[in-house]
Structure formats: C-alpha cells, structure tokens
Amino acid sequence: MVRLGKLTDYGIVLMTCIARSRGATLRTARDLAQESKLPYSTVSKLLKELLQSGLLISQRGIKGGYVLARDPQEVSVVEIIAAIEGPMALTECSTEVTGACNIELCCPIKSNQQIINQAIRGVLEKIRLSDLIQPLNLTNIQDLNGRLVPTVRSGRIQ
C-alpha cells in the first residue's frame, strides 16, 4: 500500500488551515491545534518542519505566529509532502540514491517504477494548496486515443 505518513497528512491539514485565513493574520500553534483538533505538541513539531522547509514564515513575540511564505496558488502538495517526509518516492529505486535496493542492477521494472513515480509526482505538483481549501472532484476526460483518464478538478485543475 502506498500511503502518506500520519504527520504528512497532518501537515497538509495545517497548511490548509493557514491558507484558509488568507494571510490576514498570524496563526499560533495553539490556535491551529484547536482548529485542526490535533495535539499541540504535534502541531508545534510540524510547524517547525514547515518553517525550516521555507513554506512558512514565523514572527516571534506575544503577537507572533505563522503565515504562509508564498501564496497558496504557488505551493504544491508535493512540496508539503517533501517538507515532512523528504523527497517523494514510491520505491527505493525511484529515488536519486543508488544502491538502496539489493536487485537494483538487474531489476526488470526499475525504469517503469521511475516513470510511475514521475507520473504521481506530476499530479501532486499540479495540485496546489489553494485547491485544497475547496472541494475537489474526480472526473474523467478522454486522452488522444479515446481512453478515459481520471482527472482531479477544482476550480483550476484540469
């Protein structure tokens, strides 16, 4: 099963909470924990990781908090995933690191795994934080050969 870690899921939730506030106010860890229903310690940890990755900006002090470093339309889901989990890869051979798998040199599907990884990464790069603050729909479109291809749609994605 290909699955995002719980912390990554929570990080996406937090980024969505911050994006909904439209950058109008700084959001505190306590405020975000209350809104997201996540433990304060988890929220604090994730905010630090998102800050270190450059996705958030922080301001210290009594009126301090966190705000997005960029507009929600400029932040992709794959960036949020990478901020928490590191570079996205479905399998060991999908990374840039060599020698991670015992059968890497003779693997009959290594190049196919890399193509699949690129395809999934490409979809996640197209989905923006701004898309997550509204309902997404899964629809089908036809490719050049007339085959139905599932497509995620919001007001912007096609």
Side-chain angles (χ1 to χ4, degrees), residues 93 99 101-113:
C93 64
C101 176
N102 293 337
I103 64 165
E104 182 177 351
L105 295 175
C106 63
C107 181
I109 62 168
K110 178 180 177 178
S111 62
N112 288 342
Q113 292 287 33

Side-chain angles (χ1 to χ4, degrees), residues 73-90:
Q73 292 176 337
E74 298 173 5
V75 179
S76 70
V77 171
V78 81
E79 287 180 273
I80 301 169
I81 293 169
I84 298 165
E85 298 217 14
M88 197 194 97
L90 295 176

Side-chain angles (χ1 to χ4, degrees), residues 1 3-5 12 16-17 22 27 31 33 44 58 66 69 71-72 78 82 87 92 101 104 106 108 123 127 129-130:
M1 174 185 313
R3 185 179 203 174
L4 292 178
I12 294 170
T16 303
C17 290
R22 306 276 184 211
R27 304 295 304 272
D31 168 45
S44 293
S58 70
Y66 297 86
D71 188 271
V78 81
E92 295 294 335
C101 176
E104 182 177 351
C106 63
V123 169
I127 300 174
L129 183 56
S130 59

Side-chain angles (χ1 to χ4, degrees), residues 14-23 27 68 72 129-130 133:
L14 291 176
M15 289 292 286
T16 303
C17 290
I18 296 168
R20 279 194 186 108
S21 57
R22 306 276 184 211
R27 304 295 304 272
L68 294 176
L129 183 56
S130 59
I133 59 177

Side-chain angles (χ1 to χ4, degrees), residues 91 93-95 109-119:
T91 61
C93 64
S94 298
T95 66
I109 62 168
K110 178 180 177 178
S111 62
N112 288 342
Q113 292 287 33
Q114 291 172 335
I115 290 168
I116 292 167
N117 190 70
Q118 288 172 352

